[in-house]
Amino acid sequence: ATPTDSPASQPASPKASPPGSDLPQVISMKAQRSQRLNDLFVNGKYGAAGSEGLAWIQSEGEPPDSALRLKIANSLAWTNRLPAAIEEYEKLVRNSDQFQAARLPLANAYRWTGRTDLSLPLYKQALEENETNQDALDGMEYAERDLRPRTSIQWAGSSDSGDLRLSTGTLTHRWRDPSMQQIYEVEVDMRTVHQAPSGPDPRHTGATLRYTHMGLPYEPEVSVGVQGQPSSGLFAGLRVKLGELPIHADIARENFGMTAASARALAAGLTANRIGLDGAWSGEFGVLSGRLNAYDISDGNNLLTTSLKLAPSWRPLGVAFKPYASIDTRDLKFNTPNYWSPVEGSGSFGLGASAEWAAKDWYFVLAGQLGARIYGEAGNSWSASIGAQRWLNRDTALTANLWGMSSIRDGARYRAHSLSLKLDRLW
């Protein structure tokens, strides 16, 4: 045994090594780290490459070269960690020999986070240098679809096992100011509701103006609406973004009959004050998203709804198939026949998956979920949906969605289904 006070057991004195003698070892460690990150990237392990690369940048400031930083940024973007990816892309675009390689990924990342106004100049720069750049041409077309003035006509119909029949028609026009940062939207809607066999059969009409400023802190969105009988009055809301992640908070006064999709609530003229919070967090292991809404309803009731969903990076059936797990809850102060209000609440756990196939001018999405009771009124359930969109030409798109579900309400089996069709025209 070596005595604890022997020289072999003590830290080496700084004078024991001449200055700079550990430099080759440091260089070797950096080279090994660079090689590991390159290997992770080449082998498609983007989650690990992004996490380890970002940790390296945060601890030491700079990777050894800009090419490696680009791989780290791409790994972050391809695993949905867009704010971190954008920060690295911006560094490369500002001052790097990787400027051209990073420009289009940065434009795409801006567009994926809703800042299409920032992506447009980058697409234009790429096309000025090479007008046949297909990635830039596609990106420009995607950006124009979001930025050009748009008129939408939508019809939606739904029915359920409680003899409710609902039909809604909506006309919307949206446009931006010359800076592309201010968004204006005007919407007019008409809704008819029929509750068999004895009614009520209310009709609803309304008009809403929305304004969003993407260039201001918190990216505020304001909405003001006027609605006719039976829930006549002024309705308004404010929505803001909290930080870099897609997390939003909002407050609103709204027509609760429309929110609850209930003929009785609509006929009673019920309104509600609501506060909400929704957002998403993306990491190496997947995407966690959630929503919380608290309602103070004009009949004296209080409603709290929550939804939490985890979509892991695990893809056992291929990239197109995305499994997920979810938890949904609904709790109220008291029960009323005017809308779904389980006196014991309702909490359910779901396992589901979605599958998506897409190209530049079309997409097709399938989704399905099985659910089980956690507490309250909830029971075994299922839901399924099909969605598709087709751009008929550069200016016109047609979208269709079909949805159905089965669950437990008021101690009995409840079923519902809906169909919506939308025509978009760009100007």
Side-chain angles (χ1 to χ4, degrees):
T2 303
T4 57
D5 59 349
S6 70
S9 67
Q10 300 301 315
S13 168
K15 297 180 180 179
S17 301
S21 63
D22 59 344
L23 185 59
Q25 182 179 0
V26 173
I27 294 175
S28 177
M29 291 177 62
K30 287 186 175 181
Q32 292 175 8
R33 200 168 190 178
S34 296
Q35 186 60 52
R36 171 172 169 75
L37 288 174
N38 274 297
D39 290 344
L40 289 172
F41 183 84
V42 169
N43 292 323
K45 298 180 180 180
Y46 305 120
S51 296
E52 294 186 23
L54 187 60
W56 190 3
I57 291 172
Q58 291 173 341
S59 63
E60 300 188 18
E62 298 287 338
D65 59 74
S66 56
L68 184 58
R69 184 187 287 275
L70 179 61
K71 292 177 182 178
I72 294 170
N74 285 336
S75 296
L76 292 168
W78 297 343
T79 51
N80 293 313
R81 288 172 283 182
L82 294 173
I86 287 173
E87 184 176 351
E88 300 309 314
Y89 284 139
E90 288 176 336
K91 295 174 184 176
L92 290 165
V93 167
R94 282 196 300 266
N95 184 23
S96 166
D97 58 353
Q98 297 292 324
F99 164 75
Q100 291 182 328
R103 182 172 50 196
L104 285 180
L106 175 59
N108 292 333
Y110 280 148
R111 182 166 53 82
W112 295 335
T113 55
R115 293 307 307 271
T116 314
D117 57 300
L118 299 178
S119 72
L120 188 64
L122 297 175
Y123 291 131
K124 288 181 176 179
Q125 290 174 17
L127 289 174
E128 288 171 358
E129 295 177 3
N130 180 5
E131 61 183 13
T132 64
N133 186 324
Q134 192 59 50
D135 291 335
L137 288 169
D138 290 343
M140 177 68 79
E141 187 166 353
Y142 284 127
E144 289 180 344
R145 288 175 184 176
D146 186 43
L147 297 174
R148 289 172 60 187
R150 174 188 298 247
T151 300
S152 302
I153 302 174
Q154 182 170 2
W155 171 85
S158 63
S159 61
D160 68 9
S161 54
D163 295 321
L164 176 71
R165 302 292 182 269
L166 176 64
S167 180
T168 304
T170 306
L171 175 64
T172 307
H173 184 66
R174 186 184 70 188
W175 71 100
R176 298 191 183 221
D177 77 324
S179 74
M180 298 296 175
Q181 294 186 347
Q182 299 184 70
I183 307 172
Y184 302 87
E185 186 174 276
V186 177
E187 179 179 285
V188 178
D189 65 277
M190 178 177 293
R191 176 174 296 197
T192 60
V193 188
H194 176 65
Q195 185 72 59
S198 58
D201 300 322
R203 291 178 177 269
H204 159 83
T205 57
T208 303
L209 173 65
R210 299 184 183 90
Y211 170 77
T212 305
H213 199 314
M214 306 295 294
L216 290 178
Y218 306 110
E219 298 180 10
E221 176 184 324
V222 180
S223 64
V224 179
V226 178
Q227 299 180 8
Q229 295 292 342
S231 300
S232 59
L234 185 67
F235 298 88
L238 171 64
R239 177 178 171 86
V240 295
K241 183 180 180 183
L242 307 178
E244 293 184 350
L245 292 175
I247 298 176
H248 296 84
D250 61 301
I251 58 174
R253 180 180 185 268
E254 59 190 40
N255 183 335
F256 188 72
M258 293 183 62
T259 302
S262 166
R264 295 186 179 92
L266 195 60
L270 295 183
T271 62
N273 297 319
R274 178 182 60 83
I275 58 173
L277 185 69
D278 65 88
W281 175 87
S282 300
E284 175 183 351
F285 301 103
V287 179
L288 179 65
S289 57
R291 173 182 292 274
L292 179 149
N293 282 306
Y295 300 83
D296 180 16
I297 308 171
S298 57
D299 62 0
N301 212 350
N302 298 123
L303 168 64
L304 177 66
T305 65
T306 67
S307 177
L308 192 65
K309 179 179 178 181
L310 174 62
S313 301
W314 181 54
R315 299 284 188 269
L317 300 177
V319 177
F321 294 86
K322 303 176 182 180
Y324 66 85
S326 65
I327 295 176
D328 295 279
T329 69
R330 183 181 182 92
D331 294 281
L332 295 101
K333 184 178 178 181
F334 59 81
N335 175 265
T336 171
N338 285 335
Y339 48 88
W340 180 36
S341 49
V343 67
E344 297 179 355
S346 176
S348 61
F349 171 77
L351 287 176
S354 64
E356 179 175 346
W357 298 268
K360 182 170 66 71
D361 293 328
W362 62 270
Y363 71 73
F364 182 74
V365 181
L366 296 172
Q369 175 179 306
L370 296 177
R373 177 183 180 273
I374 298 178
Y375 70 87
E377 182 184 282
N380 293 335
S381 64
W382 63 262
S383 65
S385 63
I386 300 174
Q389 183 181 80
R390 173 67 181 177
W391 282 88
L392 306 178
N393 52 50
R394 199 175 182 91
D395 303 324
T396 309
L398 180 64
T399 307
N401 288 284
L402 178 64
W403 169 84
M405 60 88 70
S406 174
S407 65
I408 299 296
R409 289 191 183 183
D410 300 320
R413 179 57 57 181
Y414 172 83
R415 294 180 175 84
H417 62 269
S418 67
L419 171 66
S420 67
L421 299 172
K422 184 171 72 166
L423 180 67
D424 289 303
R425 170 69 181 184
L426 305 183
W427 306 99

